[in-house]
Amino acid sequence: MPIPLLSLSRRLRSTPYTPRIEALGVKAYTVYNHMLLATVFRSLEEDYQHLCDHVQLWDVSCERQVELSGPDAARLLQMMTPRDLGRAVVGQCVYAPVVDADGGMINDPVVLKLAEDRYWVSIADSDVLLFAAGLALGGGLDVRVAEPEVYPLAVQGPKADDLMARVFGEAVREIRFFRFARLAFQGHPLVVARSGWSKQGGFEIYLDRLDLALPLWDALWQAGQDLDVGPGCPNLIERVESALLSYGSDMTRENNPFECGLDRYCQLDGPEFLGREALRRVRDAGPARRIRGLRIDGGALPPCRSAWPLSASGGNAGRVTSAVWSPRFDSNLAFAMVERAYWEAGTRLDITLPDGAARHGIVCNLPFAES
Ligand code: THG
């Protein structure tokens, strides 16, 4: 069956790097925050191997920044997240689940504290701007909520430090994980963080000058020629092997942070936030289901476009949310939202694929461990 193409239009936003990634042969896009996000250049496996061995430039412009600024910026941010941001310092990145009043996951952004009264909420795929603007309006808060012209470019892979040092100077090596510095590119200071949606190491450059997008891409590209720099993008294989969850796929507003294994980012006895009462109830009763790892038998699986039902002796055991063949584990790996009665490691579950075929999976802890 032929796979339909995405129709492109202005509504589906391009990025300032789009000309380069198309010249470099991007093979597939997805849509993320109403913007194009590459998913494949050569093949999923070749992109994965290259990411693990070399260094890649990722156009992650779709990681939109929701900027909160003004006297009530910190208050609005804390209303939206169970994570206690009281001790966050300027120059820090903080992974912070955003929840609604029922404790449902709205997003799982990285928050950058730019100043005491200015934050970038670097969002996953949902309209946080509208949520934040509504809260500000309803609460009569003195805060500006905006989507600035910021187009993050990630540099990921084991040679990322060497490549970045050539363009931004040796100071990049001093940036600690989940911290950022302002480093000059062509005389303009850019926010450069040691972060990114892989576990292969690297940086994210928060480009806030449209006219510097192609010069920045070209400078990194040229400086990296002898490092085998390549185009890349968040890679399904790498992110599943590394247990990085994707909002919209692995968790939705139907799930609370405990179900998503984000317990360590929830401080329910800290500052007040919207969903605190709801999440206290979940904490006290225990979550009904949880994201778990699953090793699935047999050969490579099709892409997980719908939640695949899980069962055990006829009962509903949950659903598979992402799945991929892992070269490193020599097995299919998956994330699954597994009902409490079945979530113990070692539990054997039946999977029904969309074509009706059956597979078996074994529940395991995240992150996946090589056995
Ligand atoms: N970078 C930026 N924005 C983003 C992402 C990103 N927005 C969308 C999406 N990714 C948000 N989700 C995540 C999920 C995990 C991580 C980052 C963003 C992550 N987690 C680390 C880990 O799991 O080890 C560290 C978390 C922690 O502080 O404990 O990196 O990638 N700009």
Side-chain angles (χ1 to χ4, degrees), residues 215-346:
L216 175 64
W217 180 285
D218 293 341
L220 288 162
W221 188 259
Q222 274 147 29
Q225 282 312 300
D226 63 309
L227 300 176
D228 199 1
V229 66
C233 49
N235 181 278
L236 177 65
I237 300 171
E238 201 281 339
R239 75 121 179 144
V240 172
E241 287 183 349
S242 298
L244 288 165
L245 305 179
S246 181
Y247 184 80
S249 287
D250 305 311
M251 53 194 162
T252 70
R253 203 171 157 207
E254 303 295 306
N255 305 116
N256 60 62
F258 294 102
E259 293 179 347
C260 304
L262 302 178
D263 310 39
R264 64 188 179 285
Y265 307 111
C266 297
Q267 284 84 49
L268 303 190
D269 301 312
E272 208 173 319
F273 61 93
L274 278 180
R276 192 161 74 164
E277 286 315 311
L279 288 188
R280 281 178 174 170
R281 286 194 293 275
V282 176
R283 176 190 62 187
D284 295 345
R289 54 196 69 82
R290 263 190 184 279
I291 290 187
R292 302 289 281 144
L294 208 58
R295 281 169 178 268
I296 302 179
D297 69 4
L301 292 159
C304 188
R305 292 177 62 182
S306 57
W308 299 337
L310 286 170
S311 60
S313 47
N316 167 42
R319 348 190 274 172
V320 175
T321 59
S322 294
V324 76
W325 175 263
S326 161
R328 181 149 74 88
F329 291 81
D330 193 33
S331 155
N332 288 299
L333 299 183
F335 301 141
M337 194 57 85
V338 181
E339 298 298 316
R340 192 194 323 225
Y342 305 95
W343 73 27
E344 203 176 308

Side-chain angles (χ1 to χ4, degrees), residues 16-87:
Y17 312 107
T18 299
R20 290 297 180 271
I21 71 172
E22 294 194 348
L24 289 163
V26 61
K27 287 212 176 87
Y29 283 123
T30 187
V31 180
Y32 197 97
N33 286 320
H34 318 281
M35 194 173 265
L36 293 174
L37 170 62
T39 55
V40 182
F41 282 86
R42 298 173 75 182
S43 70
L44 215 49
E45 289 76 12
E46 287 171 285
D47 291 354
Y48 160 81
Q49 208 55 57
H50 181 269
L51 168 62
C52 295
D53 293 341
H54 302 290
V55 58
Q56 296 183 339
L57 306 186
W58 293 7
D59 173 4
V60 283
S61 298
C62 65
E63 292 170 357
R64 304 310 297 154
Q65 308 307 300
V66 176
E67 179 172 314
L68 308 179
S69 57
D72 289 332
R75 216 175 124 204
L76 173 58
L77 184 58
Q78 189 65 77
M79 276 177 72
M80 300 194 294
T81 180
R83 183 140 188 198
D84 181 355
L85 298 173
R87 277 194 295 277

Side-chain angles (χ1 to χ4, degrees), residues 134-148:
L135 288 174
L137 200 60
L141 299 181
D142 187 2
V143 55
R144 199 175 92 93
V145 180
E147 183 179 312

